[in-house]
Amino acid sequence: MAEHSRSRYQYIDNFLNKPGPTTDPDFVPGAPTISNLEASKVLVIGAGGLGCEILKNLAMSGFQDIHVIDMDTIDVSNLNRQFLFRKADVGKSKAEVAAASVTGRCKNVKITPFNGKIQDKDEDFYMQFKIIICGLDSIEARRWINATLVSMVDMENPESLKPLVDGGTEGFKGQARVILPTLTSCIECQLDMHAPRAAVPLCTLATIPRQPEHCIEWAKIIAWEEHRKDTALDTDDPEHITWLYDKSLNRAKEFNIPGVTYQLTQGVVKNIIPAIASTNAIIAAACCNEAFKIATSCNPYLTNYMMYTGDDSIYTYTFEHEQKPDCPVCGNLAKTITVNPRHTLQDFIESLGERPEAQLKKPTLRTESTSLYFQSPRSLEEQTRPNLSKRLSELVSDGEEIGVSDPAFTIDFKFKLIFQA
Protein backbone atom coordinates (compact mmCIF):
# COMPACT_ATOMS: atom_id res chain seq x y z
CA MET A 1 0.00 0.00 0.00
CA ALA A 2 1.23 3.51 -0.71
CA GLU A 3 2.71 5.28 2.32
CA HIS A 4 0.23 8.16 2.26
CA SER A 5 -2.76 5.81 2.40
CA ARG A 6 -1.53 4.38 5.73
CA SER A 7 -2.35 7.67 7.49
CA ARG A 8 -5.84 6.31 8.32
CA TYR A 9 -4.17 3.49 10.26
CA GLN A 10 -1.44 5.41 12.13
CA TYR A 11 -2.81 4.38 15.52
CA ILE A 12 -3.14 0.76 14.43
CA ASP A 13 0.45 0.85 13.20
CA ASN A 14 1.63 1.71 16.71
CA PHE A 15 0.76 -1.88 17.62
CA LEU A 16 2.31 -3.37 14.50
CA ASN A 17 5.60 -1.53 14.23
CA LYS A 18 7.06 -2.63 17.55
CA PRO A 19 6.73 -5.64 19.88
CA GLY A 20 4.99 -5.43 23.24
CA PRO A 21 5.32 -7.26 26.57
CA THR A 22 2.78 -9.97 25.58
CA THR A 23 3.59 -10.17 21.87
CA ASP A 24 3.65 -13.62 20.29
CA PRO A 25 7.23 -14.96 19.77
CA ASP A 26 6.48 -15.30 16.03
CA PHE A 27 5.53 -11.62 15.74
CA VAL A 28 7.58 -9.70 13.16
CA PRO A 29 7.07 -5.93 13.58
CA GLY A 30 6.69 -3.59 10.67
CA ALA A 31 5.94 -4.10 6.98
CA PRO A 32 5.66 -7.94 6.93
CA THR A 33 2.90 -7.95 9.55
CA ILE A 34 1.10 -5.00 7.97
CA SER A 35 1.18 -6.74 4.57
CA ASN A 36 -0.10 -9.95 6.14
CA LEU A 37 -2.99 -8.06 7.74
CA GLU A 38 -3.92 -6.40 4.45
CA ALA A 39 -3.84 -9.75 2.63
CA SER A 40 -5.88 -11.65 5.24
CA LYS A 41 -9.13 -12.74 3.64
CA VAL A 42 -11.94 -12.55 6.21
CA LEU A 43 -15.53 -13.77 5.95
CA VAL A 44 -18.26 -11.99 7.92
CA ILE A 45 -21.45 -14.02 8.32
CA GLY A 46 -24.41 -11.72 8.87
CA ALA A 47 -24.87 -8.08 7.85
CA GLY A 48 -27.43 -7.07 10.47
CA GLY A 49 -26.97 -5.06 13.65
CA LEU A 50 -23.79 -6.88 14.69
CA GLY A 51 -22.55 -7.41 11.13
CA CYS A 52 -22.72 -3.70 10.23
CA GLU A 53 -20.51 -2.87 13.20
CA ILE A 54 -18.11 -5.69 12.38
CA LEU A 55 -17.71 -4.64 8.74
CA LYS A 56 -17.02 -1.03 9.74
CA ASN A 57 -14.50 -2.08 12.40
CA LEU A 58 -12.62 -4.48 10.11
CA ALA A 59 -12.29 -1.83 7.41
CA MET A 60 -11.01 0.69 9.97
CA SER A 61 -8.57 -1.87 11.45
CA GLY A 62 -6.55 -2.46 8.29
CA PHE A 63 -8.24 -5.52 6.79
CA GLN A 64 -8.57 -4.99 3.04
CA ASP A 65 -10.06 -8.23 1.69
CA ILE A 66 -13.42 -8.76 3.36
CA HIS A 67 -16.32 -10.96 2.25
CA VAL A 68 -19.82 -10.81 3.72
CA ILE A 69 -22.78 -13.19 3.34
CA ASP A 70 -26.38 -12.62 4.39
CA MET A 71 -29.66 -13.97 3.03
CA ASP A 72 -31.88 -11.14 4.28
CA THR A 73 -33.14 -7.96 2.70
CA ILE A 74 -33.40 -4.63 4.50
CA ASP A 75 -36.61 -3.93 6.43
CA VAL A 76 -37.62 -0.50 7.67
CA SER A 77 -37.37 -1.81 11.27
CA ASN A 78 -33.61 -2.34 10.73
CA LEU A 79 -32.89 1.35 10.28
CA ASN A 80 -32.83 2.27 13.98
CA ARG A 81 -29.56 0.38 14.62
CA GLN A 82 -28.15 -1.02 11.35
CA PHE A 83 -26.45 2.25 10.49
CA LEU A 84 -25.09 1.29 7.06
CA PHE A 85 -28.63 1.30 5.65
CA ARG A 86 -30.95 4.15 4.65
CA LYS A 87 -34.67 4.37 3.94
CA ALA A 88 -34.02 4.17 0.20
CA ASP A 89 -32.32 0.78 0.77
CA VAL A 90 -35.44 -0.96 2.11
CA GLY A 91 -36.04 -4.16 0.16
CA LYS A 92 -32.44 -4.44 -1.05
CA SER A 93 -29.86 -7.09 -0.11
CA LYS A 94 -28.23 -6.41 3.27
CA ALA A 95 -24.89 -7.84 2.17
CA GLU A 96 -24.73 -5.78 -1.02
CA VAL A 97 -25.78 -2.49 0.55
CA ALA A 98 -23.49 -2.94 3.57
CA ALA A 99 -20.53 -3.70 1.30
CA ALA A 100 -21.19 -0.64 -0.87
CA SER A 101 -21.67 1.60 2.16
CA VAL A 102 -18.33 0.66 3.76
CA THR A 103 -16.29 0.71 0.55
CA GLY A 104 -17.76 4.12 -0.25
CA ARG A 105 -16.02 5.44 2.85
CA CYS A 106 -12.91 3.23 2.82
CA LYS A 107 -11.75 3.32 -0.79
CA ASN A 108 -8.77 1.02 -0.24
CA VAL A 109 -10.94 -1.81 1.15
CA LYS A 110 -12.48 -4.49 -1.03
CA ILE A 111 -15.70 -6.08 0.27
CA THR A 112 -17.29 -8.91 -1.71
CA PRO A 113 -20.99 -9.46 -0.88
CA PHE A 114 -22.97 -12.71 -1.18
CA ASN A 115 -26.76 -12.66 -0.98
CA GLY A 116 -27.79 -16.15 0.11
CA LYS A 117 -27.65 -18.87 2.76
CA ILE A 118 -24.43 -20.07 4.32
CA GLN A 119 -25.70 -23.62 3.79
CA ASP A 120 -25.58 -23.08 0.00
CA LYS A 121 -21.78 -22.70 0.07
CA ASP A 122 -19.46 -25.72 -0.01
CA GLU A 123 -16.23 -26.41 1.87
CA ASP A 124 -14.11 -24.96 -0.94
CA PHE A 125 -15.79 -21.61 -0.36
CA TYR A 126 -14.97 -21.55 3.36
CA MET A 127 -11.45 -22.93 2.81
CA GLN A 128 -10.31 -19.69 1.12
CA PHE A 129 -10.64 -17.56 4.27
CA LYS A 130 -8.11 -17.00 7.03
CA ILE A 131 -10.68 -16.02 9.67
CA ILE A 132 -14.47 -16.35 9.87
CA ILE A 133 -16.49 -13.96 12.03
CA CYS A 134 -20.13 -14.64 12.92
CA GLY A 135 -22.62 -11.88 13.64
CA LEU A 136 -25.70 -14.09 13.59
CA ASP A 137 -29.05 -14.00 15.39
CA SER A 138 -29.68 -17.72 14.92
CA ILE A 139 -28.39 -20.60 17.06
CA GLU A 140 -29.14 -23.04 14.21
CA ALA A 141 -26.92 -21.14 11.76
CA ARG A 142 -24.11 -20.97 14.33
CA ARG A 143 -24.31 -24.73 14.86
CA TRP A 144 -24.19 -25.34 11.12
CA ILE A 145 -21.07 -23.25 10.42
CA ASN A 146 -19.41 -24.66 13.54
CA ALA A 147 -19.96 -28.25 12.38
CA THR A 148 -18.80 -27.39 8.86
CA LEU A 149 -15.53 -25.83 10.06
CA VAL A 150 -14.81 -28.78 12.35
CA SER A 151 -15.39 -31.26 9.52
CA MET A 152 -13.00 -29.30 7.27
CA VAL A 153 -9.99 -29.76 9.55
CA ASP A 154 -7.24 -31.99 8.13
CA MET A 155 -4.53 -32.62 10.71
CA GLU A 156 -1.94 -32.84 7.94
CA ASN A 157 -2.94 -29.45 6.52
CA PRO A 158 -2.68 -26.57 9.04
CA GLU A 159 -4.35 -24.22 6.54
CA SER A 160 -7.58 -26.22 6.86
CA LEU A 161 -8.09 -24.97 10.44
CA LYS A 162 -10.13 -21.76 10.22
CA PRO A 163 -10.46 -19.72 13.45
CA LEU A 164 -14.07 -18.83 14.19
CA VAL A 165 -14.81 -15.61 16.08
CA ASP A 166 -18.43 -15.59 17.20
CA GLY A 167 -20.39 -12.71 18.67
CA GLY A 168 -23.93 -12.61 19.94
CA THR A 169 -26.19 -10.14 21.71
CA GLU A 170 -29.50 -10.25 23.54
CA GLY A 171 -30.72 -6.92 24.81
CA PHE A 172 -28.06 -5.50 27.13
CA LYS A 173 -26.16 -8.80 27.27
CA GLY A 174 -23.66 -10.26 24.85
CA GLN A 175 -20.73 -12.57 24.37
CA ALA A 176 -17.67 -12.97 22.19
CA ARG A 177 -15.72 -16.21 21.79
CA VAL A 178 -12.79 -17.55 19.84
CA ILE A 179 -13.04 -21.12 18.55
CA LEU A 180 -10.20 -23.11 17.01
CA PRO A 181 -12.04 -26.06 15.44
CA THR A 182 -11.01 -29.45 16.97
CA LEU A 183 -8.54 -27.74 19.34
CA THR A 184 -10.81 -25.76 21.65
CA SER A 185 -14.37 -25.85 22.91
CA CYS A 186 -16.75 -25.41 19.98
CA ILE A 187 -20.25 -23.95 19.75
CA GLU A 188 -21.82 -27.39 20.21
CA CYS A 189 -19.79 -27.87 23.43
CA GLN A 190 -21.36 -24.65 24.71
CA LEU A 191 -24.88 -25.33 23.46
CA ASP A 192 -26.42 -25.77 26.90
CA MET A 193 -25.53 -22.12 27.61
CA HIS A 194 -28.10 -21.16 24.97
CA ALA A 195 -31.22 -22.89 26.24
CA PRO A 196 -34.25 -22.78 23.92
CA ARG A 197 -37.08 -20.42 24.77
CA ALA A 198 -39.49 -21.96 27.24
CA ALA A 199 -42.52 -23.41 25.51
CA VAL A 200 -45.96 -21.95 26.24
CA PRO A 201 -48.66 -24.56 26.99
CA LEU A 202 -50.97 -25.04 24.02
CA CYS A 203 -54.02 -24.55 26.24
CA THR A 204 -52.80 -21.06 27.11
CA LEU A 205 -52.41 -20.16 23.44
CA ALA A 206 -55.82 -21.58 22.57
CA THR A 207 -57.94 -20.23 25.44
CA ILE A 208 -56.33 -17.55 27.66
CA PRO A 209 -53.48 -15.68 25.96
CA ARG A 210 -51.94 -13.09 28.28
CA GLN A 211 -49.07 -11.63 26.25
CA PRO A 212 -48.67 -10.39 22.66
CA GLU A 213 -46.22 -13.25 22.09
CA HIS A 214 -49.00 -15.72 22.96
CA CYS A 215 -51.18 -14.25 20.19
CA ILE A 216 -48.35 -14.59 17.67
CA GLU A 217 -47.61 -18.19 18.71
CA TRP A 218 -51.35 -18.93 18.37
CA ALA A 219 -51.33 -17.57 14.81
CA LYS A 220 -48.22 -19.59 13.95
CA ILE A 221 -49.22 -22.90 15.53
CA ILE A 222 -53.02 -22.99 15.47
CA ALA A 223 -54.35 -20.48 12.92
CA TRP A 224 -51.87 -21.44 10.23
CA GLU A 225 -52.72 -25.12 10.65
CA GLU A 226 -56.44 -24.36 10.41
CA HIS A 227 -56.34 -22.05 7.39
CA ARG A 228 -53.14 -22.82 5.45
CA LYS A 229 -52.04 -26.31 6.43
CA ASP A 230 -51.30 -27.20 2.80
CA THR A 231 -48.71 -24.41 2.60
CA ALA A 232 -45.36 -24.76 4.34
CA LEU A 233 -44.68 -21.75 6.55
CA ASP A 234 -41.68 -19.80 5.24
CA THR A 235 -40.47 -17.38 7.92
CA ASP A 236 -38.48 -15.45 5.29
CA ASP A 237 -41.57 -14.79 3.14
CA PRO A 238 -43.01 -11.29 3.84
CA GLU A 239 -46.48 -12.42 2.75
CA HIS A 240 -46.46 -15.22 5.33
CA ILE A 241 -45.26 -12.88 8.10
CA THR A 242 -47.91 -10.31 7.16
CA TRP A 243 -50.63 -12.98 7.32
CA LEU A 244 -49.46 -14.07 10.78
CA TYR A 245 -49.28 -10.44 11.92
CA ASP A 246 -52.88 -9.76 10.83
CA LYS A 247 -54.14 -12.88 12.61
CA SER A 248 -52.12 -12.06 15.73
CA LEU A 249 -53.41 -8.50 15.80
CA ASN A 250 -57.04 -9.61 15.58
CA ARG A 251 -56.43 -12.18 18.31
CA ALA A 252 -54.85 -9.54 20.54
CA LYS A 253 -57.77 -7.14 20.02
CA GLU A 254 -60.18 -9.93 20.98
CA PHE A 255 -58.46 -10.30 24.37
CA ASN A 256 -57.51 -6.61 24.81
CA ILE A 257 -53.78 -7.33 24.65
CA PRO A 258 -51.63 -4.42 23.39
CA GLY A 259 -48.18 -4.69 21.85
CA VAL A 260 -48.54 -6.84 18.72
CA THR A 261 -46.43 -5.28 15.96
CA TYR A 262 -45.05 -6.51 12.65
CA GLN A 263 -41.54 -6.39 14.06
CA LEU A 264 -42.50 -8.41 17.15
CA THR A 265 -44.31 -10.94 14.95
CA GLN A 266 -41.18 -11.35 12.86
CA GLY A 267 -39.05 -11.72 15.99
CA VAL A 268 -41.26 -14.36 17.62
CA VAL A 269 -41.82 -16.40 14.45
CA LYS A 270 -38.12 -16.40 13.48
CA ASN A 271 -36.95 -16.53 17.11
CA ILE A 272 -34.90 -13.40 16.51
CA ILE A 273 -32.83 -12.23 19.46
CA PRO A 274 -33.59 -8.58 20.30
CA ALA A 275 -30.70 -6.18 19.65
CA ILE A 276 -29.57 -2.86 21.14
CA ALA A 277 -27.14 -0.66 19.22
CA SER A 278 -24.72 -0.04 22.10
CA THR A 279 -24.45 -3.74 22.90
CA ASN A 280 -23.83 -4.52 19.23
CA ALA A 281 -21.02 -1.95 19.17
CA ILE A 282 -19.30 -3.40 22.23
CA ILE A 283 -19.49 -7.04 21.10
CA ALA A 284 -18.47 -6.19 17.52
CA ALA A 285 -15.44 -4.34 18.88
CA ALA A 286 -14.47 -7.39 20.93
CA CYS A 287 -14.86 -9.70 17.90
CA CYS A 288 -12.79 -7.48 15.61
CA ASN A 289 -10.14 -7.07 18.29
CA GLU A 290 -9.76 -10.86 18.39
CA ALA A 291 -9.63 -11.11 14.59
CA PHE A 292 -6.92 -8.42 14.55
CA LYS A 293 -4.84 -10.31 17.13
CA ILE A 294 -5.20 -13.61 15.24
CA ALA A 295 -4.21 -12.02 11.93
CA THR A 296 -1.16 -10.16 13.29
CA SER A 297 0.00 -12.13 16.39
CA CYS A 298 0.53 -8.74 18.06
CA ASN A 299 -1.10 -9.99 21.28
CA PRO A 300 -2.56 -13.24 22.62
CA TYR A 301 -6.12 -13.85 21.54
CA LEU A 302 -9.02 -14.63 23.84
CA THR A 303 -9.07 -18.00 25.61
CA ASN A 304 -11.86 -18.40 24.87
CA TYR A 305 -15.14 -16.86 26.11
CA MET A 306 -16.03 -13.29 27.14
CA MET A 307 -19.44 -12.40 28.48
CA TYR A 308 -20.78 -8.88 28.87
CA THR A 309 -23.80 -7.41 30.61
CA GLY A 310 -24.85 -3.78 30.69
CA ASP A 311 -28.40 -3.81 32.03
CA ASP A 312 -27.72 -2.81 35.65
CA SER A 313 -24.06 -1.80 35.38
CA ILE A 314 -21.20 -2.63 33.03
CA TYR A 315 -19.68 -6.01 33.76
CA THR A 316 -17.46 -8.39 31.79
CA TYR A 317 -16.07 -11.78 32.65
CA THR A 318 -13.63 -13.92 30.71
CA PHE A 319 -13.14 -17.65 31.18
CA GLU A 320 -12.00 -20.74 29.33
CA HIS A 321 -14.87 -22.99 28.32
CA GLU A 322 -13.57 -26.55 28.27
CA GLN A 323 -13.93 -28.92 25.36
CA LYS A 324 -16.38 -31.75 26.01
CA PRO A 325 -15.34 -35.33 25.14
CA ASP A 326 -18.99 -36.20 24.40
CA CYS A 327 -19.55 -33.21 22.09
CA PRO A 328 -21.27 -34.60 18.96
CA VAL A 329 -19.22 -32.27 16.74
CA CYS A 330 -15.66 -32.15 18.08
CA GLY A 331 -15.73 -35.02 20.60
CA ASN A 332 -15.61 -38.78 20.12
CA LEU A 333 -17.97 -40.06 22.80
CA ALA A 334 -21.75 -40.40 22.79
CA LYS A 335 -23.56 -37.82 24.91
CA THR A 336 -25.40 -39.39 27.86
CA ILE A 337 -29.09 -38.56 28.21
CA THR A 338 -31.26 -39.78 31.08
CA VAL A 339 -34.75 -40.79 29.92
CA ASN A 340 -37.91 -42.27 31.39
CA PRO A 341 -38.26 -45.77 29.87
CA ARG A 342 -42.06 -45.49 30.15
CA HIS A 343 -42.15 -42.46 27.85
CA THR A 344 -43.00 -43.04 24.23
CA LEU A 345 -40.68 -42.44 21.31
CA GLN A 346 -42.90 -39.46 20.41
CA ASP A 347 -42.27 -37.99 23.87
CA PHE A 348 -38.53 -38.46 23.43
CA ILE A 349 -38.51 -36.83 20.00
CA GLU A 350 -40.37 -33.80 21.38
CA SER A 351 -37.91 -33.59 24.29
CA LEU A 352 -34.98 -33.40 21.87
CA GLY A 353 -36.29 -30.04 20.71
CA GLU A 354 -36.51 -28.75 24.28
CA ARG A 355 -33.31 -30.15 25.83
CA PRO A 356 -30.61 -27.43 26.01
CA GLU A 357 -27.91 -29.95 25.03
CA ALA A 358 -29.80 -31.18 21.92
CA GLN A 359 -32.25 -28.61 20.42
CA LEU A 360 -33.11 -30.83 17.44
CA LYS A 361 -36.40 -29.99 15.72
CA LYS A 362 -36.83 -32.77 13.10
CA PRO A 363 -34.73 -35.71 14.26
CA THR A 364 -34.43 -39.07 12.53
CA LEU A 365 -33.44 -41.83 14.97
CA ARG A 366 -31.85 -45.24 14.58
CA THR A 367 -29.91 -47.79 16.59
CA GLU A 368 -27.05 -49.90 15.30
CA SER A 369 -29.49 -52.64 14.31
CA THR A 370 -32.80 -50.94 13.46
CA SER A 371 -34.50 -47.72 12.34
CA LEU A 372 -36.60 -46.11 15.07
CA TYR A 373 -38.16 -43.22 13.16
CA PHE A 374 -37.52 -41.43 9.86
CA GLN A 375 -38.83 -37.93 9.17
CA SER A 376 -38.52 -38.54 5.43
CA PRO A 377 -38.96 -39.83 2.77
CA ARG A 378 -42.67 -40.37 3.19
CA SER A 379 -42.48 -44.13 2.63
CA LEU A 380 -39.99 -44.58 5.48
CA GLU A 381 -41.92 -42.18 7.70
CA GLU A 382 -45.07 -44.27 7.26
CA GLN A 383 -43.11 -47.47 7.85
CA THR A 384 -41.60 -46.28 11.14
CA ARG A 385 -44.58 -44.24 12.37
CA PRO A 386 -45.98 -47.07 14.57
CA ASN A 387 -42.86 -46.80 16.74
CA LEU A 388 -43.91 -43.33 17.88
CA SER A 389 -46.52 -44.76 20.26
CA LYS A 390 -44.20 -47.43 21.69
CA ARG A 391 -42.38 -47.03 24.98
CA LEU A 392 -38.64 -46.47 24.85
CA SER A 393 -38.15 -49.67 26.86
CA GLU A 394 -39.74 -51.57 23.96
CA LEU A 395 -37.37 -50.09 21.39
CA VAL A 396 -33.99 -49.69 23.07
CA SER A 397 -32.14 -51.15 26.02
CA ASP A 398 -30.70 -49.33 29.02
CA GLY A 399 -27.34 -47.78 28.04
CA GLU A 400 -27.83 -48.32 24.30
CA GLU A 401 -26.50 -45.72 21.86
CA ILE A 402 -28.70 -44.22 19.17
CA GLY A 403 -27.80 -42.14 16.14
CA VAL A 404 -29.76 -38.96 15.45
CA SER A 405 -29.70 -36.81 12.33
CA ASP A 406 -31.47 -33.53 11.61
CA PRO A 407 -31.84 -31.81 8.22
CA ALA A 408 -30.62 -28.53 9.75
CA PHE A 409 -27.14 -29.93 10.44
CA THR A 410 -24.36 -31.61 8.48
CA ILE A 411 -23.43 -34.08 11.21
CA ASP A 412 -24.97 -37.05 12.99
CA PHE A 413 -25.44 -36.96 16.75
CA LYS A 414 -24.81 -39.87 19.12
CA PHE A 415 -26.73 -40.24 22.38
CA LYS A 416 -26.41 -42.89 25.05
CA LEU A 417 -29.80 -43.47 26.68
CA ILE A 418 -29.74 -44.19 30.42
CA PHE A 419 -33.03 -45.30 31.94
CA GLN A 420 -34.25 -43.58 35.12
CA ALA A 421 -34.52 -45.98 38.04
Side-chain angles (χ1 to χ4, degrees):
M1 178 192 283
E3 187 67 30
H4 70 275
S5 63
R6 289 292 314 167
S7 59
R8 179 192 292 271
Y9 306 109
Q10 59 178 317
Y11 298 106
I12 296 292
D13 289 350
N14 289 336
F15 294 99
L16 303 181
N17 284 326
K18 57 184 178 181
T22 58
T23 300
D24 191 285
D26 296 331
F27 177 72
V28 179
T33 294
I34 292 174
S35 297
N36 189 50
L37 173 65
E38 293 175 347
S40 295
K41 185 180 288 189
V42 180
L43 174 66
V44 178
I45 301 179
L50 202 54
C52 284
E53 292 279 358
I54 290 171
L55 288 169
K56 176 260 294 180
N57 290 348
L58 290 176
M60 297 297 290
S61 298
F63 290 92
Q64 293 190 3
D65 191 359
I66 306 168
H67 296 239
V68 58
I69 183 169
D70 196 303
M71 63 178 287
D72 283 344
T73 55
I74 299 165
D75 184 79
V76 69
S77 63
N78 303 144
L79 303 182
N80 70 330
R81 63 190 181 279
Q82 297 176 23
F83 60 91
L84 297 180
F85 310 141
R86 299 292 181 266
K87 189 174 182 180
D89 298 323
V90 171
K92 299 178 183 177
S93 161
K94 283 188 176 182
E96 293 173 1
V97 174
S101 181
V102 174
T103 54
R105 292 165 174 79
C106 302
K107 305 294 185 182
N108 58 309
V109 177
K110 175 187 176 184
I111 301 182
T112 306
F114 301 94
N115 183 30
K117 298 181 179 180
I118 57 173
Q119 294 88 343
D120 293 339
K121 301 295 185 181
D122 58 17
E123 289 189 2
D124 290 339
F125 173 79
Y126 295 107
M127 194 66 76
Q128 66 182 302
F129 301 105
K130 182 172 183 177
I131 303 168
I132 295 173
I133 307 176
C134 283
L136 292 162
D137 59 7
S138 164
I139 297 297
E140 288 77 11
R142 283 190 179 96
R143 294 174 71 183
W144 187 91
I145 189 63
N146 174 72
T148 298
L149 296 182
V150 170
S151 68
M152 284 168 46
V153 175
D154 179 355
M155 293 303 179
E156 297 181 358
N157 177 17
E159 295 297 319
S160 66
L161 192 153
K162 306 298 178 182
L164 174 64
V165 181
D166 176 64
T169 65
E170 183 174 3
F172 288 101
K173 299 178 182 179
Q175 89 279 332
R177 48 188 166 180
V178 174
I179 295 166
L180 303 181
T182 72
L183 299 182
T184 65
S185 168
C186 75
I187 286 177
E188 203 73 26
C189 292
Q190 305 165 17
L191 187 61
D192 53 4
M193 298 180 68
H194 302 275
R197 187 175 57 192
V200 180
L202 198 60
C203 59
T204 298
L205 301 180
T207 58
I208 48 170
R210 296 184 296 273
Q211 300 174 11
E213 291 83 357
H214 294 170
C215 299
I216 298 168
E217 292 281 10
W218 170 86
K220 175 186 174 183
I221 297 172
I222 298 176
W224 187 276
E225 183 65 21
E226 288 181 357
H227 299 281
R228 305 186 65 170
K229 62 180 180 180
D230 294 330
T231 304
L233 176 60
D234 182 356
T235 58
D236 294 312
D237 188 332
E239 188 274 325
H240 288 192
I241 298 296
T242 300
W243 189 92
L244 292 174
Y245 165 63
D246 291 338
K247 290 292 182 182
S248 303
L249 191 60
N250 291 334
R251 178 77 167 175
K253 289 178 179 178
E254 181 182 349
F255 288 89
N256 297 317
I257 300 173
V260 172
T261 64
Y262 184 89
Q263 184 177 356
L264 180 64
T265 302
Q266 198 173 33
V268 171
V269 171
K270 299 180 68 173
N271 198 19
I272 294 175
I273 300 169
I276 291 176
S278 57
T279 311
N280 285 338
I282 292 168
I283 297 303
C287 290
C288 294
N289 192 34
E290 297 308 319
F292 181 81
K293 291 187 288 185
I294 292 172
T296 64
S297 300
C298 67
N299 269 288
Y301 50 78
L302 176 69
T303 309
N304 52 15
Y305 198 107
M306 185 277 288
M307 56 183 293
Y308 161 84
T309 180
D311 48 0
D312 186 35
S313 59
I314 295 177
Y315 173 77
T316 63
Y317 178 66
T318 301
F319 65 96
E320 182 176 1
H321 196 290
E322 296 184 357
Q323 199 170 12
K324 293 183 177 179
D326 63 352
C327 172
V329 173
C330 67
N332 51 21
L333 300 176
K335 181 178 288 293
T336 298
I337 290 184
T338 302
V339 297
N340 187 331
R342 293 182 295 277
H343 284 179
T344 64
L345 183 62
Q346 179 71 56
D347 295 332
F348 177 68
I349 288 175
E350 291 175 357
S351 76
L352 287 177
E354 300 167 359
R355 289 176 179 265
E357 72 274 25
Q359 301 185 42
L360 301 172
K361 305 296 177 59
K362 295 183 178 180
T364 288
L365 303 90
R366 62 197 175 281
T367 65
E368 189 173 331
S369 59
T370 186
S371 298
L372 298 177
Y373 180 69
F374 274 81
Q375 295 278 352
S376 62
R378 185 173 180 178
S379 58
L380 287 177
E381 194 282 328
E382 292 176 349
Q383 183 178 337
T384 56
R385 190 183 303 165
N387 287 339
L388 293 175
S389 59
K390 294 181 180 179
R391 293 183 176 182
L392 289 175
S393 58
E394 300 176 59
L395 299 170
V396 297
S397 57
D398 188 10
E400 187 171 1
E401 292 186 9
I402 65 170
V404 180
S405 59
D406 189 291
F409 306 103
T410 58
I411 61 166
D412 287 342
F413 300 82
K414 290 191 299 182
F415 296 110
K416 183 178 182 179
L417 303 188
I418 302 298
F419 289 170
Q420 291 176 343

